Structure formats: C-alpha cells, structure tokens
Amino acid sequence: MSVAQTAPRAAAAEPGKGAGRKIGYGLLYIALAAVAVLQILPLVWLLFFSLKNNQEVFDSPPLSLPTHWRWENYEKVWTQGNIGVYFFNSVWLTVVSTALTVLIASLVTFAVTRMKWKASKLVLGLFMVGLMIPVHSALIPLFSVFQNLHLIDRPPSLILTYVAFNMPITIMIMLGFYTSLPREVEEAAVIDGCSVHRIFFRIVFPMTASVISTTAIINMIYNWNEFIFVNTFINSDKLKTLTVGVQNFVGQYTTDWGAIGATLMVSILPILIAFFVLSNRIVEGLAAGSVKG
C-alpha cells in the first residue's frame, strides 16, 4: 500500500479518535462532578441543620430548607455557649502546636537526610515506630506522667501531646522531599563559610515551603478536630476547645440540636478556608515529596 493511500485513512481515523477522547473526558467530568456533589452534600445538610429548631430537625427531611432561617442559633452559641473562648483556644493551640511540629520535624528530617552520623537510621526508625502506637493506648500513661509533672488542666499537656503524635507522619512526608534536594547548594554554602544552622534556616528551610504547607495543613486538621486528649487532660471550661465545647448544648433532658449544628459549622469554616488557600501548595508538596523511581 502506498503512502498516498495510507494518508487519507489516517486522516479519516483522526476525527473518530478525537470524538472518542471528548466523550471520555465528558464522562470523566460527569463522574468527578457527581463525586464533588456527594462531598458537598454533608456541608449543605449541616448548614440547613444549624438553622433549624429541634422540631424541624426531627420532623423535616434532612436536606429540606428551614421554614424559618434561625440565624439566632449562631448568636446563641457565641453569647450563651461560650464558643468565643473555645474558638480562641482552638486557634492558638492549633497554631502553636502546628508551628512547633513542623519546625522540629524539619530539623529532624534535615539531620537524618542531609547530615552523616552513625545513629541517623536508628533515630529515624524510632520516629517511624511512633506511627504504630495507637492514641488510646497512650492515654493512661500520659495522664499519669502529666499528673506527676502538674500539667493536667494546663495547655502544655495538649501541645506536647499534639507535637509528639504528629511528628512521625510529618517526618515521613518530609523525607522524600529532603532526599531529592540538590546537595550542590549546601556545598556552595559551606564553601562560603555558612554554618549548619545558617544552611538550614537560610537555604534549606525556605526551599521546602511546599512540603511545609502540606504538613502544616495536615497538622492543623488533626489539632483542630482533636477531642480525646482535650476531654482527658482539660477540666477547666476556660481552656476547652470547640470540639469539647459542643457538649455544652447537650443537657440531661433536652438537647439544642440547632446550636450544636451552628457550633459544628463554626468549627469547620477555618479548616475549609485554610485548605482552599493552601490547596495548590498541598498538591505541590505531595508531588514533590513522592518517591521517584
């Protein structure tokens, strides 16, 4: 068969191939849109839930619109439910714990991957063992330790616990990224007379901004939503966080479900905003930190 005969057939096949590709992309977008709707439905349900009273919550369908939009539920949780104090506690505990975890994990990962010393693999292995320790199994030992150190009902008990339990996963995410960093930059810095500390804080740490954002948002989500440690170590109402503060609207005989929904909506919004702001950084960090074969 000549080239002249083959060319028309190839040209005729191209439109069919292009149409098939468009159909495939169309089906993919439809499937992704359906998944997105399923992901958004719980948020829509929670919004409607937070604007209803108890009668509407139980008598109307879950996704039905409120007959009366009760925005006073949000006012009630701020004025009567002490949610403002809980919100502030959640914010500063989350920020401090996340900053400490990311900084210490960055230092550990830098020491393990960029410096040569005999016990580096042993230290890395000890941190990775932390991934296998269940949270519930550590509650009683931690309570006993903090009680002996007089840290029960004090913020350091939460900060130390959050940092300790988030270190293994944070280091694991950072490992791939730090391993792929070019050593030529550090060698040039050493020639210029930089110390180890200046190499880390001036050169390496800024280069890892994408993976820092990834680990920061993961730590923020865990610290913000954490319930077990706050409920175990904190007794004072002025030190509780949002996750525990929801219990204020659960009474012995009645429960204000609308106020609970409003509290949950308030607790979700900061994490959603942080995720949307840092979403590009998160994808970059996960891609850059992946193991390359």
Side-chain angles (χ1 to χ4, degrees):
M1 186 179 293
S2 64
V3 176
Q5 292 175 331
T6 305
R9 292 186 179 182
E14 285 299 327
K17 187 183 294 184
R21 185 177 299 173
K22 289 181 179 178
I23 293 174
Y25 278 121
L27 293 175
L28 176 62
Y29 290 145
I30 291 173
L32 292 176
V35 173
V37 170
L38 289 176
Q39 296 290 331
I40 293 173
L41 276 179
L43 296 177
V44 176
W45 170 82
L46 182 59
L47 176 62
F48 293 162
F49 181 90
S50 67
L51 297 172
K52 297 177 180 179
N53 58 15
N54 286 359
Q55 183 179 357
E56 287 183 276
V57 167
F58 291 104
D59 293 346
S60 61
L63 291 175
S64 63
L65 293 173
T67 55
H68 175 66
W69 297 76
R70 302 179 183 277
W71 296 104
E72 59 268 21
N73 286 341
Y74 288 87
E75 181 183 357
K76 181 179 182 179
V77 299
W78 281 97
T79 56
Q80 301 179 25
N82 209 25
I83 295 301
V85 175
Y86 303 148
F87 185 87
F88 176 75
N89 291 335
S90 292
V91 168
W92 82 263
L93 283 171
T94 298
V95 170
V96 172
S97 302
T98 300
L100 285 175
T101 305
V102 171
L103 177 60
I104 297 173
S106 298
L107 290 168
V108 172
T109 310
F110 175 78
V112 169
T113 59
R114 316 303 292 183
M115 301 174 67
K116 294 182 180 180
W117 45 295
K118 292 183 179 180
S120 60
K121 292 184 178 179
L122 175 62
V123 171
L124 178 60
L126 289 175
F127 276 107
M128 292 301 102
V129 168
L131 291 170
M132 298 183 289
I133 300 176
V135 174
H136 301 83
S137 66
L139 274 177
I140 296 176
L142 281 174
F143 186 88
S144 178
V145 170
F146 289 147
Q147 193 172 37
N148 292 332
L149 295 174
H150 305 289
L151 292 179
I152 293 296
D153 203 23
R154 293 187 179 182
S157 62
L158 296 177
I159 295 173
L160 291 173
T161 307
Y162 292 168
V163 172
F165 274 90
N166 286 330
M167 282 285 289
I169 185 65
T170 306
I171 292 173
M172 188 178 70
I173 295 173
M174 290 182 171
L175 275 175
F177 191 91
Y178 271 79
T179 304
S180 63
L181 290 176
R183 291 190 177 272
E184 290 76 11
V185 178
E186 298 170 48
E187 293 171 357
V190 171
I191 294 173
D192 290 339
C194 284
S195 63
V196 175
H197 300 88
R198 290 189 65 186
I199 290 174
F200 175 76
F201 287 106
R202 295 289 184 88
I203 298 173
V204 176
F205 197 67
M207 290 173 63
T208 59
S210 57
V211 75
I212 286 174
S213 300
T214 304
T215 53
I217 190 65
I218 292 173
N219 277 271
M220 285 172 59
I221 292 172
Y222 173 83
N223 296 336
W224 186 269
N225 295 326
E226 202 283 317
F227 174 83
I228 298 175
F229 293 127
V230 180
N231 198 42
T232 304
F233 301 148
I234 300 299
N235 301 318
S236 301
D237 204 52
K238 63 180 181 180
L239 295 176
K240 291 181 180 178
T241 58
L242 272 173
T243 52
V244 179
V246 176
Q247 299 180 36
N248 284 358
F249 299 101
V250 180
Q252 183 177 0
Y253 302 105
T254 59
T255 299
D256 193 338
W257 293 105
I260 289 177
T263 305
L264 293 175
M265 200 69 194
V266 170
S267 67
I268 288 173
L269 286 178
I271 293 298
L272 287 178
I273 294 171
F275 182 82
F276 285 128
V277 170
L278 299 174
S279 58
N280 293 333
R281 288 284 191 177
I282 294 170
V283 174
E284 291 174 9
L286 290 175
S290 59
V291 179
K292 300 177 181 178

